[in-house]
Amino acid sequence: MKTFWTLLNNFESYFCRILLAVFVSLLFVQIVSRELFDYSFSWIEELSVYMFVWFVFFGASYAAKKSAHNRVTFQFGMLPRSWVKWIEGFADLFWIFFNVYFVYLAYDFVFNRMNKFWKSQTLGIEMKWIYMVLPIAFALMTFRVLQVNYRVLVKGEDIHDPDKIDLDEVRQEMKQGHDDPGGRVG
Amino acid sequence: KEFKIAVGDGGGGTQEALGKAFISALEEKTNGEHTASLFLNGQLGSEQDTVNDAAIGTLDFSILAINNITPFSPSVGTLTLPYVILSLEDAEKVTQGPIGQELVENTVRDAGVRIIGWAYSGFRVLTNSAKPVETVEDLDGLVIRVPKNEIMIATYKSWGVNPTPMAWSETFAGLQQKVVDGQDNPYITVYAMKFDEVQKYVTNLRYLFSIEPLIVSEAVFQDMSEEEQQAVLAAGQEATEFSAQFLRDKEAEIKEELVSRGMEITDPANDEAEFISLATEAVWPQFYDSIGGVEKLNEVLTELGRDPVE
Amino acid sequence: MESVIVSILFGSFLGLLLLGAPITVALGVSSLVSFLYLGENPIKFVQIAFTSVGSFPLMALPAFILAGALMEAAGISKRLINVAESFAGPFTGGISAATVMACLFFGAISGSGPATTAAVGMLMIPAMIKRGYDRGYSSAVTASAGGLGIVIPPSIPMVIFGIAALGMSAPPEAVEKFGTFQSVSISKLFIAGFVPAFLIAGSLLVVNWFLCRKHGYTGSAEGWSARNILCELYRGFWSLMAPVVILGGIYTGFFTPTEAAIVAIFYTLFVGIVIYRELNFDSLNRSLETTTWLTGRVLLILFTATVFGRLLVENHIPALIADGMLSLTDNIYIIWALIIFFLLFVGMFMETLAAILILVPVMLPVAYSVGIDPIHFGVVMICTLGIGFQTPPLGENLFIASGISNISIENISIRALPFAAVNTIAIFVIAFFPQLSLWLPRLLGY
Ligand code: NA
Ligand code: NA
């Protein structure tokens, strides 16, 4: 049960990793086939671009979950950390407002405004299905913003800043391997 | 009021010429009450985006290649099938005659935009850097760049070539670095993009005649008074006539200039018969469904005085 | 009308930034408010969200991020740095000079400044300290040279600049005055950055030499070992081929930048799994994960910055700014100085990619209107924002160097000042002599 929730809670992460691996591989197939066999698959570019768009917006939701979206913070240098998180929490209300409004716009666009004939050029998929990423991913992102603020403000958690490159991790990667002339690091 | 006109291409081409002609006609017909400004180079979004924006009413006008309307109003696709239009006169006849009127009505119904003018860019001629192309056989071994367009891809396939879809922004570099040997575009584009610097041979193919409609948002159009609507339609008509003349003058001039810069222009062998029969037999049937049936094609062919197909 | 919109748009944008809202939110909300004020239907946002992101050249961004992460995990980065280190030799400031060279080498496979600092610093800062260099100095030289990572191609900021500048044509008045401008492409930017990167690296090496002489940092007693160099070159062969594959592929026009990055990914997979055998499923998985959130974060800004830029264009605001600037002065050197100091200032506070996305729609039209070549402008912009990595309060390279050396950020940033100063001088040289950036692309026929 616990693993199920962990899986679900990292849904964007898994989904995006799969999308990324697939579109990168598709593009590689295209290059190899073009260079070696003089043959291009006409659908690869379009399919990979659409997968990329899904990857991006679900990735943005994942970034929200990791509290990774850049803010300008120098002005908070003098303030205690406990104040800053409430100020940022307040600023996030604008984010939620924007996202909710955007989800409404995207829903309206996809279901009511969008041209019913509009299909993708080479795959022939209705563009409606491809645009569905917008309402879904922004709704999910809104949930993530609420989730992060709940964790920070209510539960008092300190969310690790993903931009701080984890030096231990880099160190680990630099060290491993058999022909490293050890002892150079640290 | 100052309207906004989205233009897909950059300055100097057919689209801008049509836009300018439209604006001056509009100013004249409304005694300077209405004008418009052009936003070139896709500044207001890609050509397909502008159709959606106009349909929703967030954009007033747009000038774009016809194949970017087709996804929203399939019957327009008839004009984008290979070898339907065989001359500028054909193009004028279909766009300005009863067929054109029907397309306008279909587009209003299907896409929420009204076509009020047409720019004519001419046939997409084939250029390449490797060898003169006169017959279908000559295409063998050439790597040709095409836009991401099903009909164009299918046409090249019918000639036994597997073309390479490539983004427009990468095309010049691609030709220069010989990632691709050739491409097709109207003379005006070949000249404006300085393709003569990286291409030597031109073949006067006629498989696609580039048409670039001027559309108005139907929502914006319906908000206008009767007089304003008449003024807009008349300005569109005037701009269309201007565009045809612009093409006649410009194309002749450009051909001469390109030859003086060292390009070799070839006409397809046997009046293009082999190209035509391969393409029409293989490609047309693939797209009957998407243009709304073979009847649509036959209407156009009959209008042009050609034999309908089965 | 325009001035009201300008104050609403920029006022709410800056207000939200100061309130600590994410940059993307500040851009999106201020645009939304302006749309509503103008009485325009914001449903346009939906289509912009999709099409601003859905472009093939943009896929170079995740591809280069992923390639960089994989190269680290595969052991390619480490070997490149070892090669640079082996050249340190018995010179004054040899090992710190090798650090600068390592950043240049590493920059040729990585598109990121902080990643360059982390990878190089992790090996070179301890090595410098071991040879008796001051901790603060070691960190400062690494943090300063880390910025080379985005000047030497491949460069993620250049990808973003190219995307932002792609749809912006020169205003007709500028074309009339200065003739046609060349078009912007990511490949061209990649080639144009090559010479300036060496100029900046050279300027850092010069300061390094003077400072090391002052501090008495002489070379190692062991001397210069040809055997060691050959040995590292041999060990690093497959790693040294990585920049050859990436840059060679792009420079010969064999691949587009996106394709070069894709090829680099599979090259790294091959080297990491088959030859070095250091790449495992865990590190592959981690690289994919990092790429996910980094890309999502940047491109969400791309969406809102595009909306913001569209508002500016539709209201002719860049033209107004250009006119305002030209009414002050039309001396190109003064305008360059204003541009560079403004970018240095912005680079102190703002993340590089966000700064590019926000500033290109405003500044590129100004550049066009005074006849600046767009590729040249991009190179100067990226070089200048590269200094931002080493300036507080937001200096990513400082944070990393400080993490490695345990020296305070204040200390490092002060010791990095001489480097920032000559780097700025080098940027002025790059700005005043366009040929430094434009010569190589022309030579290669772009
Ligand atoms: Na780089
Ligand atoms: Na900074």
Side-chain angles (χ1 to χ4, degrees):
Chain A
M1 200 58 196
K2 190 156 176 244
T3 47
F4 171 75
W5 283 111
T6 317
L7 280 174
L8 195 65
N9 198 24
N10 287 295
F11 166 74
E12 296 101 315
S13 175
Y14 296 118
F15 184 57
C16 287
R17 275 182 262 174
I18 294 168
L19 285 174
L20 175 60
V22 173
F23 75 69
V24 161
S25 306
L26 278 176
L27 292 177
F28 188 65
V29 169
Q30 178 80 306
I31 297 168
V32 171
S33 143
R34 189 191 66 204
E35 294 301 328
L36 299 185
F37 309 108
D38 258 346
Y39 186 87
S40 297
F41 298 91
S42 54
W43 49 273
I44 284 191
E45 179 174 332
E46 189 176 87
L47 179 62
S48 54
V49 167
Y50 293 151
M51 292 178 80
F52 170 61
V53 174
W54 280 67
F55 163 79
V56 166
F57 287 106
F58 279 93
S61 174
Y62 183 53
K65 176 179 177 272
K66 294 194 74 146
S67 191
H69 287 279
N70 305 99
R71 304 166 191 261
V72 175
T73 53
F74 72 93
Q75 70 278 28
F76 299 145
M78 294 293 138
L79 296 177
R81 179 64 206 151
S82 57
W83 289 28
V84 174
K85 62 186 193 184
W86 283 99
I87 298 174
E88 289 185 350
F90 175 69
D92 282 354
L93 289 176
F94 289 92
W95 195 353
I96 292 164
F97 154 75
F98 179 83
N99 276 11
V100 169
Y101 193 51
F102 185 82
V103 170
Y104 159 74
L105 290 174
Y107 177 88
D108 189 31
F109 185 83
V110 172
F111 288 97
N112 305 327
R113 312 291 197 102
M114 210 161 170
N115 183 291
K116 55 186 178 297
F117 297 101
W118 195 20
K119 286 187 184 145
S120 75
Q121 285 270 324
T122 54
L123 296 167
I125 307 172
E126 277 185 61
M127 288 304 286
K128 183 161 115 181
W129 300 115
I130 299 168
Y131 266 69
M132 281 298 284
V133 63
L134 295 173
I136 298 172
F138 276 80
L140 198 53
M141 197 189 309
T142 314
F143 169 74
R144 293 305 187 187
V145 176
L146 292 168
Q147 189 186 28
V148 164
N149 278 293
Y150 172 76
R151 284 172 62 197
V152 171
L153 300 176
V154 180
K155 305 269 283 224
E157 284 178 44
D158 199 15
I159 294 185
H160 172 74
D161 176 2
D163 262 319
K164 288 227 174 69
I165 293 187
D166 191 340
L167 292 172
D168 289 331
E169 208 170 89
V170 180
R171 202 167 276 144
Q172 206 59 43
E173 276 171 0
M174 284 285 169
K175 239 180 186 169
Q176 66 176 219
H178 33 82
D179 60 354
D180 186 48
R184 196 196 301 256
V185 177
Chain B
K1 189 182 168 188
E2 186 176 341
F3 293 106
K4 290 183 182 120
I5 306 180
V7 181
D9 286 348
T14 325
Q15 293 190 352
E16 192 199 24
L18 178 82
K20 282 182 170 167
F22 174 74
I23 292 174
S24 62
L26 180 68
E27 284 171 351
E28 189 199 298
K29 297 199 187 307
T30 59
N31 298 318
E33 206 171 296
H34 295 299
T35 181
S37 47
L38 297 176
F39 291 85
L40 298 172
N41 244 325
Q43 284 183 83
L44 301 187
S46 77
E47 294 192 354
Q48 291 198 9
D49 293 0
T50 63
V51 180
N52 274 319
D53 284 338
I56 294 170
T58 57
L59 173 71
D60 308 315
F61 295 90
S62 176
I63 303 172
L64 68 171
I66 193 164
N67 51 300
N68 286 317
I69 298 189
T70 325
F72 307 96
S73 183
S75 64
V76 177
T78 324
L79 303 188
T80 65
L81 289 179
Y83 296 114
V84 168
I85 294 170
L86 293 173
S87 65
L88 171 57
E89 289 68 35
D90 280 0
E92 289 183 279
K93 205 168 180 181
V94 258
T95 51
Q96 296 176 43
I99 300 274
Q101 199 46 47
E102 196 191 325
L103 289 179
V104 171
E105 280 156 21
N106 288 348
T107 313
V108 170
R109 186 193 64 215
D110 297 342
V113 297
R114 180 180 292 269
I115 301 173
I116 54 163
W118 307 84
Y120 305 108
S121 286
F123 290 108
R124 296 182 69 108
V125 295
L126 175 72
T127 70
N128 82 88
S129 56
K131 59 185 180 188
V133 173
E134 211 173 310
T135 62
V136 174
E137 204 176 28
D138 291 337
L139 286 172
D140 199 34
L142 289 181
V143 184
I144 311 280
R145 173 268 169 186
V146 287
K148 205 174 62 185
N149 175 304
E150 270 182 306
I151 295 180
M152 294 172 66
I153 292 170
T155 306
Y156 276 99
K157 284 188 172 159
S158 78
W159 296 331
V161 178
N162 183 44
T164 303
M166 183 184 271
W168 178 235
S169 57
E170 287 165 5
T171 300
F172 190 89
L175 292 167
Q176 185 163 41
Q177 311 287 338
K178 305 233 162 47
V179 177
V180 287
D181 302 313
Q183 59 88 41
D184 65 54
N185 259 301
Y187 273 110
I188 293 179
T189 314
V190 171
Y191 180 73
M193 290 302 295
K194 303 200 178 100
F195 279 156
D196 57 282
E197 291 174 5
V198 291
Q199 301 274 274
K200 183 160 169 63
Y201 304 100
V202 186
T203 307
N204 285 326
L205 291 186
R206 290 180 297 165
Y207 84 109
L208 274 188
F209 187 93
S210 284
I211 301 179
E212 338 235 349
L214 164 64
I215 58 172
V216 61
S217 159
E218 182 64 8
V220 170
F221 188 74
Q222 290 306 334
D223 281 346
M224 292 176 183
S225 70
E226 179 74 36
E227 279 161 40
E228 287 168 329
Q229 289 184 347
Q230 290 311 322
V232 165
L233 293 175
Q237 182 57 38
E238 210 162 281
T240 305
E241 284 154 20
F242 170 84
S243 176
Q245 196 52 46
F246 180 82
L247 176 66
R248 283 190 181 93
D249 301 344
K250 202 83 179 179
E251 208 171 61
E253 194 182 300
I254 286 173
K255 273 190 197 169
E256 215 166 284
E257 177 64 25
L258 291 177
V259 169
S260 78
R261 292 186 188 178
M263 288 191 105
E264 281 178 24
I265 301 181
T266 316
D267 280 316
N270 200 7
D271 210 15
E272 222 169 331
E274 196 187 0
F275 285 96
I276 296 180
S277 65
L278 285 173
T280 52
E281 279 162 28
V283 183
W284 285 0
Q286 289 179 44
F287 294 94
Y288 288 158
D289 282 346
S290 69
I291 60 170
V294 65
E295 322 76 79
K296 297 281 173 201
L297 175 63
N298 282 336
E299 280 173 28
V300 175
L301 292 175
T302 315
E303 166 97 7
L304 292 173
R306 286 163 60 188
D307 296 332
V309 289
E310 290 301 298
Chain C
M1 186 67 179
E2 270 94 3
S3 66
V4 180
I5 272 302
V6 169
S7 25
I8 291 180
L9 189 62
F10 285 94
S12 51
F13 171 62
L14 292 174
L16 283 160
L17 276 190
L18 286 175
L19 197 60
I23 294 171
T24 186
V25 175
L27 286 165
V29 171
S30 57
S31 309
L32 183 56
V33 169
S34 306
F35 258 74
L36 296 176
Y37 172 82
L38 286 169
E40 285 193 39
N41 188 342
I43 197 155
K44 261 186 202 174
F45 281 46
V46 180
Q47 190 154 276
I48 294 176
F50 195 92
T51 45
S52 61
V53 168
S55 85
F56 186 77
L58 196 53
M59 295 171 82
L61 176 90
F64 275 121
I65 295 177
L66 181 60
L70 286 173
M71 285 183 186
E72 185 117 342
I76 287 184
S77 312
K78 181 179 64 192
R79 287 174 180 77
L80 272 184
I81 297 163
N82 287 345
V83 170
E85 193 194 350
S86 72
F87 282 98
F91 316 107
T92 296
I95 182 90
S96 46
T99 304
V100 176
M101 295 309 292
C103 287
L104 207 54
F105 276 27
F106 189 80
I109 58 166
S110 161
S112 147
T116 305
T117 312
V120 173
M122 199 58 80
L123 290 174
M124 297 304 280
I125 291 177
M128 284 187 273
I129 295 171
K130 210 169 104 190
R131 296 203 188 183
Y133 282 53
D134 176 77
R135 282 173 176 263
Y137 184 80
S138 313
S139 313
V141 76
T142 315
S144 308
L148 288 170
I150 66 167
V151 182
I152 191 117
S155 161
I156 290 164
M158 282 181 185
V159 173
I160 291 295
F161 180 91
I163 297 290
L166 213 55
M168 299 181 53
S169 56
E173 307 83 62
V175 176
E176 210 166 282
K177 204 161 155 197
F178 301 101
T180 46
F181 292 81
Q182 65 173 325
S183 61
V184 176
S185 80
I186 296 167
S187 301
K188 267 190 225 168
L189 283 162
F190 274 12
I191 300 168
F194 201 74
V195 174
F198 278 87
L199 189 72
I200 291 173
S203 72
L204 297 179
L205 288 174
V206 170
V207 195
N208 172 59
W209 189 79
F210 278 107
L211 289 175
C212 285
R213 200 177 61 165
K214 188 178 127 200
H215 297 310
Y217 298 152
T218 51
S220 69
E222 299 147 37
W224 209 64
S225 159
R227 190 179 167 276
N228 187 23
I229 292 178
L230 284 176
C231 194
E232 291 296 351
L233 280 176
Y234 174 74
R235 276 194 191 137
F237 173 76
W238 292 97
S239 307
L240 288 165
M241 288 309 287
V244 174
V245 169
I246 297 177
L247 297 186
I250 297 172
Y251 286 16
T252 55
F254 215 62
F255 303 129
T256 64
T258 309
E259 291 174 344
I262 300 285
V263 170
I265 289 169
F266 284 86
Y267 177 80
T268 307
L269 288 176
F270 171 73
V271 173
I273 295 170
V274 178
I275 297 178
Y276 293 162
R277 303 196 183 168
E278 290 179 28
L279 196 62
N280 52 32
F281 183 74
D282 269 356
S283 47
L284 174 64
N285 204 5
R286 231 184 359 254
S287 304
L288 290 171
E289 195 251 10
T290 313
T291 310
T292 295
W293 66 263
L294 274 172
T295 310
R297 169 172 93 175
V298 176
L299 296 187
L300 192 65
I301 300 180
L302 175 65
F303 152 45
T304 49
T306 307
V307 179
F308 194 88
R310 182 70 61 82
L311 256 171
L312 296 178
V313 167
E314 285 185 5
N315 292 286
H316 307 286
I317 292 169
L320 286 180
I321 295 174
D323 287 347
M325 192 131 175
L326 286 176
S327 68
L328 289 175
T329 174
D330 58 0
N331 181 314
I332 184 96
Y333 298 106
I334 297 176
I335 289 177
W336 266 127
L338 290 173
I339 290 174
I340 292 170
F341 285 121
F342 179 69
L343 287 172
L344 283 175
F345 176 75
V346 171
M348 288 171 71
F349 306 100
M350 197 176 272
E351 198 268 333
T352 321
L353 301 180
I356 293 171
L357 286 170
I358 296 165
L359 293 178
V360 167
V362 187
M363 295 180 79
L364 189 58
V366 177
Y368 275 130
S369 65
V370 292
I372 295 174
D373 179 274
I375 297 287
H376 181 214
F377 178 76
V379 169
V380 175
M381 182 176 209
I382 281 151
C383 292
T384 315
L385 290 173
I387 296 185
F389 288 135
Q390 67 185 73
T391 54
L394 176 67
E396 293 92 331
N397 291 2
L398 289 178
F399 301 156
I400 291 162
S402 153
I404 298 172
S405 63
N406 285 321
I407 294 290
S408 77
I409 287 166
E410 290 75 23
N411 184 333
I412 302 174
S413 61
I414 288 169
R415 306 210 58 168
L417 273 179
F419 292 104
V422 297
N423 197 342
T424 309
I425 294 171
I427 288 169
F428 271 96
V429 173
I430 295 164
F432 290 173
F433 299 96
Q435 286 313 317
L436 289 171
S437 315
L438 302 179
W439 168 75
L440 192 59
R442 198 161 300 151
L443 182 77
L444 291 174
Y446 276 86

